[in-house]
Amino acid sequence: MRQTWTFVIFGAFSVLLLTGSALSAEALAQKIDAVLFAKPPSQAEDAEFLRRVWFDFDGGIPTADEARAFLADKTADKRTKLIDKLISAPRFAVRMADAFHVMLMERRGDNEAWKAWLVESFKTNKPWDAMVREMLAPDFLDEKQRGAGYFITRRLEKVGQQDTDYPGLTRDVGRMFMGIDLQCCQCHRHLSVSDYKQIDFSGLYSVFQNLKLQPADDKHKTPWLSEGLIAAKYEFVSVLTDKKAQTAPRIPFGEEVMIPVSTGDDAWLVKPDRKTKEVGQPKFSPLREIAQRVPAPENALFAKNIANRVWFLFIGKGIVEPLDLHHTENPPAHPELLDLLAKELAAHHFDLRWLIREIALTQTYQRSGAHQRHLTAEQQLRAFLIATVERERLEKNPKPDVKVDALKYNLADFEKAFAAALANPAKEPELAANPSLRSALFLRNSDHVQWALKPRTGNLIDRLARQTDPVEDLYLTVLTRLPDAEEKAQLKSWIAAHADDKSKALGDFAWALLSSTEFFVNH
């Protein structure tokens, strides 16, 4: 079985890589549709597509004016032009940084250097394999790379009297970059996945348990990592069989990294020195070895994992689910599609922007009745503030002042409140909507929400209150679509019944739309 699995993930993909050099000129978008559909699926209405693509590439919703302009546009290629416009906009890098932060860090915390590194990486379209190499073995002396180190340093921070979580880091590297959850293999073979062996966990663990988290200092502006010497293979024992084994550093299912024979001063690039508090730098760095081998084109699981994760981000459902359980007993829902995406992504040097654009151009992405996707707390907040037209006011307010209504909150207050109410708990993959009583109470009673719906110069309610017929504007602003006849009549009747306080009536009606399921999905 072991040999079979290894062939499946490496051998078959190697064949695909060989053919990758002779990729046909047909666009990936067309190939995807050809694989999935014998005949074209029905396409989403323009309003449905508009809201979907805006959430995906901007992270929020279009304004009413932007929605009107797109819906009025009769040109045949307006969807392609919109996709290219949004991907080229500065917001795209920020949106991708938000999405990958939630995926990779799973709400473990925020870090400005990490966020800046993510934004810059997506802004410059850094290939995914290069990003992973920097995350696994960053140069902490390089200002442009040190932020990438947060992926590891955050996970190695001690919590109370608990041991440093080297096993957790080992597990997460497997999950995030190869789509395999080896947690169960820390102490023995995996009890339910025959492909996963204890040696697969131990090979990675031997690298990470050799790291030590160092505090920021004059040279290193952030917490950083030092490595110790590794002169022998790592020994481990199964708690089920008491059988002992050993391994050199290795990536799961890969070959062992040869440990060089060197002793004494010969083993060090920079010798440790207690007097100067120099911790030393060994010549042999297992971390750098692993950082090269995990994102290598030959590692088929690396390409398949990121192709599957990007597909999940934009389609709403992974080809392999759970996302971190790729193995022979949990095959892809569509093996041909996953092979196609992984092969083409590797052939295009792990260019995520290219892959995302191709997916967005498919009829699969643009079809009607697509899978409704979970929106992150960041997307929900951005959409809420665009709809209520309060984002600019909050961004310009450096210091909240509770005595002045317009200055009561700033953007940081809203970010904290929305994350607390709508984000998933820390250390859990955020894969689906998770409605909770906390979320419902926040939307119903939060002063943040109520404050944004009071009339204030230039905001949504102020604008609507000055209109004779605000129905269309309200629906386009909040739901990115025009109201139907029943909805028009309903709002007109509501306003007429509360004519003595039109602003409050509009605020209440807007709250109902902003609290609806339709507002919190991507259509």
Side-chain angles (χ1 to χ4, degrees), residues 141-290:
L141 296 177
D142 184 342
E143 185 179 357
K144 294 181 178 178
Q145 280 195 36
R146 64 170 61 113
Y150 186 66
F151 178 85
I152 291 182
T153 59
R154 178 59 173 157
R155 287 172 164 85
L156 294 187
E157 290 178 10
K158 287 178 71 71
V159 179
Q161 297 303 309
Q162 295 181 7
D163 293 336
T164 301
D165 194 12
Y166 294 113
L169 172 60
T170 304
R171 179 195 183 200
D172 283 352
V173 169
R175 291 174 57 230
M176 298 301 172
F177 304 131
M178 292 181 66
I180 51 174
D181 187 348
L182 299 171
Q183 181 182 32
C184 194
C185 300
Q186 179 182 356
C187 305
H188 46 71
R189 64 176 171 76
H190 203 289
L191 296 179
S192 60
V193 181
S194 59
D195 294 330
Y196 300 171
K197 310 298 183 187
Q198 193 174 3
I199 194 172
D200 296 317
F201 179 92
S202 300
L204 271 183
Y205 180 77
S206 69
V207 177
F208 298 125
Q209 58 86 37
N210 188 47
L211 301 177
K212 186 173 182 181
L213 183 61
Q214 304 287 352
D217 54 29
D218 291 340
K219 285 174 59 180
H220 306 85
K221 305 303 180 185
T222 62
W224 58 287
L225 302 168
S226 63
E227 282 186 276
L229 283 177
I230 286 185
K233 292 185 177 183
Y234 175 74
E235 294 188 352
F236 57 94
V237 59
S238 168
V239 299
L240 296 180
T241 65
D242 288 335
K243 184 178 178 181
K244 295 181 179 178
Q246 57 180 217
T247 181
R250 66 194 279 275
I251 67 170
F253 321 116
E255 300 293 329
E256 290 186 0
V257 179
M258 187 182 71
I259 301 174
V261 178
S262 55
T263 57
D265 292 350
D266 233 17
W268 295 95
L269 198 61
V270 179
K271 287 174 55 180
D273 188 334
R274 288 186 179 180
K275 291 182 180 177
T276 63
K277 297 183 179 179
E278 170 61 58
V279 298
Q281 181 181 350
K283 289 180 180 176
F284 173 55
S285 168
L287 191 63
R288 287 201 298 271
E289 292 287 342
I290 292 298

Side-chain angles (χ1 to χ4, degrees), residues 154 217 273 304 320 332 334 362 426 448 489 514 518:
R154 178 59 173 157
D217 54 29
D273 188 334
K304 289 185 176 181
V320 173
H334 206 303
T362 62
H448 296 77
L514 288 162
E518 185 175 354

Side-chain angles (χ1 to χ4, degrees), residues 31-89:
K31 295 178 184 178
I32 291 171
D33 288 330
V35 165
L36 291 177
F37 298 106
K39 62 179 183 179
S42 59
Q43 295 297 280
E45 299 289 335
D46 279 345
E48 183 179 354
F49 166 80
L50 176 63
R51 191 174 175 90
R52 181 182 304 166
V53 76
W54 217 283
F55 264 127
D56 282 340
F57 296 153
D58 174 272
I61 56 176
T63 64
D65 287 343
E66 289 166 332
R68 282 192 193 93
F70 182 78
L71 297 177
D73 187 350
K74 302 302 179 186
T75 58
D77 61 345
K78 68 176 184 179
R79 292 192 179 192
T80 300
K81 288 193 293 188
L82 178 60
I83 290 168
D84 289 337
K85 173 186 171 183
L86 292 175
I87 286 181
S88 301

Side-chain angles (χ1 to χ4, degrees), residues 13-136:
F13 194 72
S14 297
V15 173
L16 290 171
L17 283 177
L18 289 175
T19 60
S21 60
L23 292 174
S24 74
E26 185 182 19
L28 177 60
Q30 296 170 344
K31 295 178 184 178
I32 291 171
D33 288 330
V35 165
L36 291 177
F37 298 106
K39 62 179 183 179
S42 59
Q43 295 297 280
E45 299 289 335
D46 279 345
E48 183 179 354
F49 166 80
L50 176 63
R51 191 174 175 90
R52 181 182 304 166
V53 76
W54 217 283
F55 264 127
D56 282 340
F57 296 153
D58 174 272
I61 56 176
T63 64
D65 287 343
E66 289 166 332
R68 282 192 193 93
F70 182 78
L71 297 177
D73 187 350
K74 302 302 179 186
T75 58
D77 61 345
K78 68 176 184 179
R79 292 192 179 192
T80 300
K81 288 193 293 188
L82 178 60
I83 290 168
D84 289 337
K85 173 186 171 183
L86 292 175
I87 286 181
S88 301
R91 269 298 305 174
F92 178 72
V94 178
R95 158 65 185 140
M96 288 300 102
D98 282 345
F100 275 75
H101 168 62
V102 171
M103 181 174 70
L104 295 171
M105 298 308 298
E106 296 176 336
R107 306 283 179 190
R108 282 175 166 80
D110 297 307
N111 179 276
E112 287 302 317
W114 163 253
K115 183 177 181 181
W117 176 80
L118 280 172
V119 171
E120 185 64 18
S121 296
F122 284 105
K123 181 180 176 182
T124 58
N125 198 27
K126 187 180 296 178
W128 175 243
D129 57 338
M131 290 179 67
V132 173
R133 278 193 291 273
E134 292 181 8
M135 280 186 269
L136 291 180

Side-chain angles (χ1 to χ4, degrees), residues 240-453:
L240 296 180
T241 65
D242 288 335
K243 184 178 178 181
K244 295 181 179 178
Q246 57 180 217
T247 181
R250 66 194 279 275
I251 67 170
F253 321 116
E255 300 293 329
E256 290 186 0
V257 179
M258 187 182 71
I259 301 174
V261 178
S262 55
T263 57
D265 292 350
D266 233 17
W268 295 95
L269 198 61
V270 179
K271 287 174 55 180
D273 188 334
R274 288 186 179 180
K275 291 182 180 177
T276 63
K277 297 183 179 179
E278 170 61 58
V279 298
Q281 181 181 350
K283 289 180 180 176
F284 173 55
S285 168
L287 191 63
R288 287 201 298 271
E289 292 287 342
I290 292 298
Q292 293 297 320
R293 293 170 186 239
V294 167
E298 297 77 16
N299 182 6
L301 280 178
F302 175 73
K304 289 185 176 181
N305 171 66
I306 187 59
N308 189 49
R309 286 181 179 274
V310 171
W311 185 262
F312 169 82
L313 276 177
F314 291 92
I315 299 299
K317 196 162 180 62
I319 305 168
V320 173
E321 288 196 342
L323 301 181
D324 54 10
L325 277 179
H326 290 247
H327 58 87
T328 52
E329 294 161 277
N330 182 39
H334 206 303
E336 187 180 354
L337 174 62
L338 185 57
D339 282 345
L340 173 66
L341 295 174
K343 176 196 68 174
E344 295 253 9
L345 182 58
H348 283 80
H349 310 290
F350 296 103
D351 182 343
L352 293 187
R353 186 181 296 177
W354 167 82
L355 178 63
I356 290 166
R357 180 179 184 275
E358 289 295 319
I359 290 175
L361 291 174
T362 62
Q363 295 180 355
T364 307
Y365 177 84
Q366 298 184 25
R367 74 190 189 281
S368 65
H371 191 77
Q372 287 187 345
R373 271 172 284 141
H374 163 63
L375 302 178
T376 63
E378 290 76 12
Q379 287 174 296
Q380 294 179 44
L381 172 59
R382 184 167 174 79
F384 179 85
L385 294 182
I386 290 172
T388 54
V389 199
E390 285 290 359
R391 184 175 183 86
E392 186 176 345
R393 192 191 319 276
L394 294 171
E395 286 178 331
K396 289 182 176 178
N397 181 16
K399 187 177 181 180
D401 184 347
V402 296
K403 297 177 182 177
V404 182
D405 175 68
L407 302 178
K408 189 174 184 179
Y409 296 109
N410 66 8
L411 185 58
D413 293 328
F414 269 73
E415 289 174 340
K416 184 177 179 181
F418 269 67
L422 303 171
N424 279 15
K427 301 183 181 180
E428 290 184 9
E430 205 160 291
L431 305 177
N434 186 24
S436 65
L437 179 60
R438 179 187 57 182
S439 305
L441 290 175
F442 173 76
L443 294 171
R444 182 179 179 85
N445 300 320
S446 163
D447 188 62
H448 296 77
V449 173
Q450 301 302 326
W451 175 85
L453 290 170

